[in-house]
Amino acid sequence: MASVVLSEAEKFYIVHGVQEDLRVDGRGCEDYRCAEVETDVVSNTSGSARVKLGETDILVGIKAEMGTPKLEKPDEGYLEFFVDWLVY
């Protein structure tokens, strides 16, 4: 895991924010963002979902197709996955 180096001012800001029960966006330390989850939102996929968490909106679509076995490995099929995702 990469280490993160914080300046003394950043450490002070974080510690006092916790002590004062404040976050940068005005929420308290125990306040959570409203989360919304929708499934099957993209019709031409094997599966899709849209997740909204606060101001973050994520759309994911997954497509799976069965492939024909390769000539050199006729007893071993394979599964091919295509994943598209957007964050906006």
Side-chain angles (χ1 to χ4, degrees):
M1 180 194 247
S3 63
V4 176
V5 179
L6 297 174
S7 69
E8 289 303 314
E10 290 169 314
K11 291 177 190 175
F12 182 86
Y13 181 78
I14 292 168
V15 168
H16 286 281
V18 171
Q19 289 173 344
E20 298 293 322
D21 191 34
L22 290 174
R23 294 187 197 185
V24 141
D25 61 5
R27 291 180 293 137
C29 290
E30 294 185 13
D31 295 338
Y32 59 91
R33 293 185 220 158
C34 181
E36 296 177 40
V37 179
E38 298 175 72
T39 58
D40 299 324
V41 293
V42 181
S43 62
N44 63 344
T45 62
S46 302
S48 62
R50 182 177 189 179
V51 178
K52 293 181 187 180
L53 181 62
E55 297 295 316
T56 303
D57 193 351
I58 302 170
L59 176 64
V60 178
I62 298 174
K63 204 168 197 176
E65 297 177 1
M66 293 295 290
T68 306
K70 296 181 180 178
L71 293 175
E72 62 273 7
K73 297 181 181 180
D75 296 332
E76 296 179 22
Y78 66 95
L79 199 53
E80 198 169 2
F81 290 92
F82 305 94
V83 179
D84 293 322
W85 57 279
L86 298 169
V87 177
Y88 51 101

